[in-house]
Amino acid sequence: MTEPAPRAAPEPALRAMIVPVTAIEQNCTIIWCTRTMKAAVIDAGGDLPRIRAAIAEAGVTVEKLLLTHGHIDHAGSAKPLADELGVPIEGPHEDDRFWLARLADDGRNWGIEGVPFEPDRWLNDGDTVTVGELTLDVYHTPGHTAGHVIFHHAPSKFAQVGDVLFQGSIGRTDLPQGDHQQLITSIVTKLWPLGDDTAFVPGHGKPSTFGHERRWNMFVSDEALAAA
């Protein structure tokens, strides 16, 4: 008897491409809906030719820009790219107005293009954003900055967490409006409940899962927090 051919794995609803930008190697992320090929660019911090090339390589149509927070390496080139593509900017939370207003000054200090702006839509905890037919949940996660947000697509068990959490580390809190304890609270109360099997793209470095960080991250593992 001939064995039936194995079924091809279904196309995932969401795909993502990481595009490292600026000298700080920030993880600009392109996410898209595979049914519609509509996309969002998260944290267009700089190196627009590299981002344009990635958009073309993915073969997607960008319908909006999303921002996790207002630091120069994440937001510096958001306004020029949005104007070029004719799309809106959504995020971060309004508490990051401080950072978006000083992008030009920070850009000069870091040697990165910085164009101040206000987004078309500020985001709050509990909001959602759409990308094609996808709906992502928004969580306000202050600590690294006051207005930081993350984006989570529950059906895909995927999150883009900006500079809240990294593989083996956490976001810095020594810049203006940073708060270490607030950051820890954001991680424990907003990220961990999303599930150990949730994979995340951080603002810098390699992707990981929440479960891996709860076991091994020296700053926020269950063991480290229990000992604190």
Side-chain angles (χ1 to χ4, degrees), residues 84-98:
E84 176 184 316
L85 297 176
V87 300
I89 301 172
E90 299 184 7
H93 185 281
E94 192 170 0
D95 285 349
D96 262 17
R97 182 190 294 272
F98 165 83

Side-chain angles (χ1 to χ4, degrees), residues 27 69 74 144 161-172 183 187 191-192 200-209 212-213 217 219-220:
N27 286 335
H69 65 292
H74 292 255
H144 177 64
V161 304
D163 284 358
V164 172
L165 179 70
F166 305 117
Q167 185 185 94
S169 189
I170 59 175
R172 61 188 295 183
L183 180 65
I187 292 170
L191 273 58
W192 289 172
F200 69 90
V201 174
H204 305 266
K206 296 180 180 179
S208 183
T209 66
H212 181 88
E213 300 312 308
N217 192 303
F219 297 96
V220 287

Side-chain angles (χ1 to χ4, degrees), residues 154-188:
S156 301
K157 298 182 178 179
F158 169 86
Q160 217 291 359
V161 304
D163 284 358
V164 172
L165 179 70
F166 305 117
Q167 185 185 94
S169 189
I170 59 175
R172 61 188 295 183
T173 56
D174 59 328
L175 296 173
Q177 299 186 338
D179 186 311
H180 179 78
Q181 187 53 55
Q182 197 173 47
L183 180 65
I184 300 299
T185 298
S186 289
I187 292 170
V188 172

